[in-house]
Amino acid sequence: MNEQEYVLSVKVSNNNGVLPRVGGLFSRRGYSIKSLNAAETEEPDISRLTIVVSSDLRVLEQIKNQLMKLYDVHEVKILTDAVTREHILIRAGNSAEDRHKIIEIANLYRAKPVDISANSIMLELTGEPAKIDSFLNLLKPFGIIKMVRSGITALERD
Amino acid sequence: MILSGSDIIVECLLEQGVNTVFGYPGGAVLNIYDSLYKYSDKLRHIITSHEQGACHAADGFARATGKTGVVIATSGPGATNLTTGLATANMDSVPLVAITGNVSTDLLGLDSFQEVDITGVTIPITKHNFIVKNIAELADTLRLAFDIANSGRKGPVLVDIPKDITAATYEYSPAESINKAGRETYDSSNIDYALELIEKSEKPYIYAGGGIISANAEEELKTFAELCDAPVSCSLMGQGAYDQTDRRYIGMLGMHGTVKAAAALNSCDLFIGMGTRFSDRVIGDAKVFGKNAKFIHIDIDPAEFNKNVEVGCTIKGDIKEVLKNLCGKISQKKCGWTDEIINGDFGEPVQKGTSELPVTPQAVIETLDKLTNGQAVVATEVGQNQMWAAQYYKFKEPRSFISSGGLGTMGFGLGAAIGAKVGRPDKTVVNIAGDGSFAMNLNELITASSHNIPIIELVLNNKVLGMVRQWQRLFYNKHFSQTTLDARHIDYVKLGESFGIQTFVIEKCEDIEPVLKKALDISKSAPVMIEVRIDRDINVLPMIPAGKPVVNPITEIDLEA
């Protein structure tokens, strides 16, 4: 079967050690995580993990069933119709001749300069993962010094 | 009432109906052991030689009784010594609650003396675990641990309790057990599909695993098999789920299953697996496993569906409930194929050795079966001894075969037999061991003798690690690397007697029956050991090499070649 990326939205108890439980499950069973985002939700005792996995449908079903066996996991949803967003912070080269070009690209994508120094410029951008990817591609020629991606967060549509 | 944390622990155990715990004291559990001292008239504690033995004993207790086993160990090495036992119980879905002490909360995370992050260590080998850092949560955490261990697919739960929590005091009020662990709901959406497959099938074949025993569904299985008019095999974990003296029983399926079971697998048109996880030791090559058959898979754990074998029709639920439902809807079938299988002669192999030693393990186990009328509880170690026990003892009832199936833990059997005997004092309990496995945890003989737990330790001594040797013969050019134990000069009689255990030797065929009879007699009141001297080249047959199709098993191994 064909491997494909899927987005899982996982509700878990905010207990000590819930991340190693989930992470350990993926590593010991050889499931591949592309990204994992974890944070609190509207309920203080509950966190939501947004996990992007690469798998075929059979393994996807396995991942879902295995996750549901963890006591701290309350719900696993495979998102098909959802708003997906990723946040990126990126520091790119900033020579005098590049600065305008970088800002031009940033404006095109509505990325915001958040820190500027003599040698570099830091931009932030939130958007769909594909938009982030294309933004990164355009910035690459100018030299990416450092970057951090949040991993995907997603909520299903009503 | 206000109680100390350690008193709360004992009260919670009593709430759960626990009357026996296995364990080993130490610094971080001193408070708990002080409470055990106080409550000693209500709660029996059995100290073993080693925490691993205590964990296997709690496991054997649970397997033999169906109750939850309890083991207590101190922090650090005490806790890590439990890990093999926990992993064993986890693989075989045995309900267990392990209580470990830890250093005080203010010393946690500082590499304190005898500190280990045992919840971190045991995440992959327990069903769930807890560390209790607030005494207010102690009682409910323990209740929840029992609930989780016993719900759905059962398993071990570890509760780590720092020393200051056991010393602190808190309000305790007795409570009914809590019901917070998720219960697997019965998904009956495929019942009609299953009924249709059964209706249409002319060659249905039932394969029952340990889940039948966990669900107490042996009667429903029997009714179901009769309604389907199907032959029945059990997995290793399923030994005892179906009466093996019944005509429908055609032996174990898998690596060392019968030739008949392999033939049934390959000619059946419907394979009904229940309470089984389709272990690699059973399915061999997954791509061709039962390739002429349609599949029904009934299990309480949906994560087992389509994990190792792709199955069209899956039914999630408590097997007892599912089978009751199915039995109410099936009309009596009659399958000519079933009689062909049951009555057919498929050429089961005879296992022979090369040396002058005349006693065979199969003769010993068959005599044991005869003398105990197939009603003993038989624990095993791992390797050839385990396969022979499964092959030659005719198990009639659930909870009578106690063996490490999933993890394959050498050294499991003696501790497990001790636990089983404590749980079922009415039963004859025999541990069938090999000399290799025996040497791993023979320290637990001390437990059997000091607590006078009257088990029979039956050591099949071939002076080799027989199963590994068998693989070396077949697949490693007879390079018997580190599997020949000739240099071990163990005098079993002296060894046993030094522990206060009467020990006998079986060396001649005519010894078998009288020695077993004598041992059975002694085991009414005291533990007893038997050394059986057997040939080193008796191989376990039939055999399907790992990962190979379950077709035409090896039935003869040329010992001269």
Side-chain angles (χ1 to χ4, degrees):
Chain A
M1 265 191 271
N2 291 333
E3 285 213 356
Q4 194 186 317
E5 285 192 4
Y6 296 94
V7 181
L8 304 182
S9 185
V10 184
K11 269 173 86 173
V12 299
S13 288
N14 226 345
N15 288 342
N16 230 340
V18 65
L19 272 181
R21 285 181 209 282
V22 172
L25 173 68
F26 275 79
S27 68
R28 73 176 174 270
R29 293 199 180 267
Y31 306 146
S32 121
I33 296 187
K34 292 289 173 187
S35 78
L36 188 154
N37 176 287
E40 282 184 8
T41 62
E42 70 285 1
E43 302 164 72
D45 298 341
I46 298 288
S47 286
R48 188 181 295 280
L49 314 182
T50 309
I51 308 174
V52 180
V53 302
S54 169
S55 76
D56 61 30
L57 278 172
R58 183 171 161 184
V59 172
L60 183 68
E61 189 65 19
Q62 276 293 306
I63 294 173
K64 187 182 164 189
N65 284 331
Q66 291 291 351
L67 278 170
M68 281 307 292
K69 283 172 72 171
L70 298 180
Y71 178 73
D72 286 336
V73 172
H74 302 288
E75 179 189 280
V76 180
K77 276 195 174 160
I78 298 160
L79 299 183
T80 46
D81 183 22
V83 175
T84 56
R85 287 292 180 270
E86 196 173 9
H87 179 253
I88 189 174
L89 287 171
I90 180 165
R91 186 184 288 284
N94 183 28
S95 62
E97 66 264 29
D98 287 345
R99 178 180 296 233
H100 282 293
K101 289 180 198 159
I102 290 176
I103 290 179
E104 213 171 287
I105 294 168
N107 285 339
L108 215 59
Y109 281 81
R110 298 201 187 129
K112 217 165 79 183
V114 285
D115 184 47
I116 299 182
S117 70
N119 301 317
S120 72
I121 177 165
M122 195 201 292
L123 299 166
E124 88 170 303
L125 175 64
T126 301
E128 288 194 3
K131 182 176 164 188
I132 303 270
D133 287 339
S134 83
F135 178 63
L136 275 176
N137 276 335
L138 288 178
L139 281 187
K140 255 183 206 158
F142 303 102
I144 294 172
I145 300 165
K146 261 187 188 172
M147 68 169 214
V148 57
R149 296 177 74 148
S150 66
I152 287 173
T153 56
L155 266 187
E156 60 185 348
R157 293 177 203 274
D158 247 344
Chain B
M1 73 196 123
I2 301 289
L3 291 182
S4 70
S6 56
D7 283 355
I8 291 175
I9 294 170
V10 178
E11 288 285 353
C12 285
L13 294 177
L14 295 173
E15 271 177 21
Q16 300 291 329
V18 175
N19 55 25
T20 310
V21 298
F22 302 87
Y24 205 97
V29 287
L30 272 164
N31 294 320
I32 299 178
Y33 275 80
D34 200 47
S35 294
L36 288 171
Y37 182 82
K38 202 163 89 185
Y39 284 83
S40 59
D41 57 330
K42 291 186 181 146
L43 188 60
R44 182 181 184 196
H45 177 276
I46 292 175
I47 177 176
T48 53
S49 300
H50 188 282
E51 287 91 350
Q52 184 186 348
C55 202
H56 292 327
D59 178 322
F61 178 94
R63 293 185 204 230
T65 61
K67 297 179 197 159
T68 301
V70 179
V71 59
I72 301 174
T74 193
S75 64
T80 54
N81 280 346
L82 296 180
T83 51
T84 301
L86 291 171
T88 304
N90 196 44
M91 283 290 259
D92 290 346
S93 311
V94 177
L96 210 68
V97 169
I99 296 171
T100 50
N102 209 332
V103 299
S104 291
T105 46
D106 59 332
L107 293 173
L108 281 171
L110 304 177
D111 306 315
S112 307
F113 176 66
Q114 290 195 328
E115 184 195 356
V116 80
D117 170 21
I118 197 63
T119 50
V121 169
T122 57
I123 284 175
I125 54 170
T126 52
K127 187 172 173 191
H128 192 60
N129 61 28
F130 298 94
I131 179 165
V132 181
K133 291 182 180 172
N134 177 355
I135 189 168
E137 291 166 6
L138 179 59
D140 274 351
T141 303
L142 285 164
R143 291 169 189 140
L144 183 55
F146 277 86
D147 187 37
I148 293 173
N150 253 307
S151 62
R153 180 173 176 177
K154 300 170 199 290
V157 178
L158 179 137
V159 184
D160 194 29
I161 310 174
K163 192 171 181 182
D164 54 330
I165 303 295
T166 60
T169 55
Y170 197 73
E171 173 66 28
Y172 164 81
S173 44
E176 292 294 310
S177 53
I178 48 176
N179 256 317
K180 272 173 76 182
R183 295 292 187 280
E184 286 300 346
T185 47
Y186 179 16
D187 178 359
S188 58
S189 54
N190 272 338
I191 284 283
D192 286 342
Y193 180 27
L195 285 167
E196 187 193 324
L197 290 174
I198 294 167
E199 182 75 25
K200 283 188 183 153
S201 165
E202 291 172 358
K203 304 167 181 177
Y205 175 30
I206 294 170
Y207 172 61
I212 295 288
I213 296 169
S214 301
N216 302 315
E218 65 277 7
E219 280 173 27
E220 289 76 11
L221 168 62
K222 174 103 170 107
T223 310
F224 180 74
E226 274 164 20
L227 283 170
C228 293
D229 190 24
V232 178
S233 280
C234 289
S235 71
L236 184 76
M237 292 309 300
Q239 298 294 297
Y242 196 88
D243 179 354
Q244 301 187 354
T245 56
D246 184 84
R247 62 182 281 273
R248 293 188 184 283
Y249 189 72
I250 59 169
M252 202 159 60
L253 177 69
M255 182 173 276
H256 295 296
T258 57
V259 181
K260 186 178 274 195
L265 168 70
N266 293 308
S267 62
C268 71
D269 64 7
L270 179 63
F271 186 91
I272 309 170
M274 49 182 84
T276 174
R277 57 190 178 83
F278 288 93
S279 151
D280 58 288
R281 281 295 187 266
V282 171
I283 62 176
D285 182 348
K287 289 193 293 294
V288 297
F289 180 75
K291 63 179 191 302
N292 302 317
K294 294 201 158 71
F295 281 74
I296 298 173
H297 188 184
I298 308 168
D299 204 279
I300 200 161
D301 179 5
E304 293 303 339
F305 296 151
N306 301 312
K307 186 182 82 178
N308 294 353
V309 172
E310 283 202 68
V311 171
C313 177
T314 60
I315 302 172
K316 180 183 82 169
D318 179 81
I319 301 173
K320 196 178 175 83
E321 204 182 328
V322 175
L323 284 180
K324 265 189 189 158
N325 191 344
L326 284 172
C327 287
K329 293 180 176 168
I330 304 172
S331 36
Q332 178 69 50
K333 291 178 68 72
K334 182 79 197 108
C335 307
W337 171 80
T338 299
D339 286 335
E340 281 170 36
I341 290 286
I342 288 173
N343 300 324
D345 179 0
F346 293 85
E348 301 299 337
V350 182
Q351 307 175 14
K352 294 186 291 259
T354 50
S355 75
E356 300 297 302
L357 291 174
V359 176
T360 62
Q362 47 270 43
V364 174
I365 295 169
E366 280 173 345
T367 308
L368 180 71
D369 179 48
K370 189 184 78 180
L371 294 176
T372 55
N373 194 26
Q375 288 178 325
V377 171
V378 176
T380 77
E381 299 291 346
V382 166
Q384 292 185 317
N385 60 82
Q386 178 185 33
M387 292 301 123
W388 287 323
Q391 289 176 329
Y392 293 103
Y393 197 88
K394 301 287 168 238
F395 295 93
K396 290 194 176 73
E397 52 196 59
R399 309 200 174 283
S400 58
F401 180 70
I402 299 195
S403 191
S404 168
L407 196 68
T409 307
M410 285 174 74
F412 167 79
L414 180 52
I418 287 168
K421 182 69 187 179
V422 169
R424 294 294 310 271
D426 55 312
K427 285 277 187 185
T428 297
V429 177
V430 186
N431 181 40
I432 297 180
D435 54 313
S437 294
F438 170 75
M440 276 203 175
N441 279 342
L442 66 89
N443 51 6
E444 298 307 340
L445 284 178
I446 300 166
T447 309
S449 72
S450 59
H451 294 271
N452 196 34
I453 299 164
I455 55 153
I456 301 177
E457 172 77 358
L458 182 71
V459 184
L460 302 171
N461 181 11
N462 54 9
K463 291 201 164 190
V464 289
L465 299 178
M467 186 59 92
V468 182
R469 179 181 171 90
Q470 178 169 337
W471 285 51
Q472 286 170 334
R473 174 182 299 284
L474 287 168
F475 312 120
Y476 290 86
N477 296 319
K478 291 192 271 179
H479 298 160
F480 298 125
S481 174
Q482 300 297 320
T483 53
T484 308
L485 308 179
D486 279 336
R488 294 185 178 179
H489 299 291
I490 301 168
D491 184 328
Y492 284 79
V493 175
K494 280 188 190 158
L495 177 76
E497 281 172 0
S498 74
F499 290 142
I501 293 178
Q502 274 196 77
T503 302
F504 304 96
V505 178
I506 294 177
E507 213 170 1
K508 299 189 289 264
C509 293
E510 56 269 32
D511 294 341
I512 298 175
E513 190 157 330
V515 171
L516 283 177
K517 272 186 176 159
K518 195 160 33 171
L520 285 165
D521 195 46
I522 293 169
S523 77
K524 285 175 187 143
S525 58
V528 55
M529 179 156 71
I530 306 167
E531 178 201 4
V532 186
R533 295 187 184 154
I534 61 168
D535 186 276
R536 66 181 46 186
D537 283 319
I538 306 176
N539 292 295
V540 177
L541 295 171
M543 180 175 182
I544 310 275
K548 292 283 187 282
V550 186
V551 179
N552 302 325
I554 299 170
T555 54
E556 202 172 349
I557 295 173
D558 188 353
L559 297 173
E560 306 302 324

